[in-house]
Amino acid sequence: MECLACKVTDLDVRLNKCPICFKWVCDNCAVRSFGRAFCQRKCADVFFWGDEDED
């Protein structure tokens, strides 16, 4: 496994799985929000606000 952003592997650092899209991200690249680590701001917003396609 490797970080989505910086490509560092899980052998070198601890990786977190994004709770929305399940991509792996390291602590340095993670977007921290709501007490969780997300791979990008978009996933953090979906976690809190929900998906826009809920019509």
Side-chain angles (χ1 to χ4, degrees):
M1 294 179 284
E2 65 181 23
C3 175
L4 174 68
C6 69
K7 306 301 184 202
V8 69
T9 67
D10 61 334
L11 300 174
D12 298 323
V13 298
R14 179 177 175 263
L15 298 179
N16 303 291
K17 188 186 283 188
C18 178
I20 299 299
C21 67
F22 307 113
K23 294 178 183 172
W24 293 97
V25 64
C26 71
D27 286 332
N28 291 334
C29 297
V31 174
R32 296 260 174 212
S33 191
F34 313 110
R36 297 176 185 244
F38 297 91
C39 67
Q40 55 186 335
R41 173 60 50 196
K42 180 181 174 184
C43 285
D45 290 345
V46 168
F47 182 81
F48 186 72
W49 299 107
D51 193 11
E52 294 177 4
D53 297 336
E54 292 182 3
D55 287 339

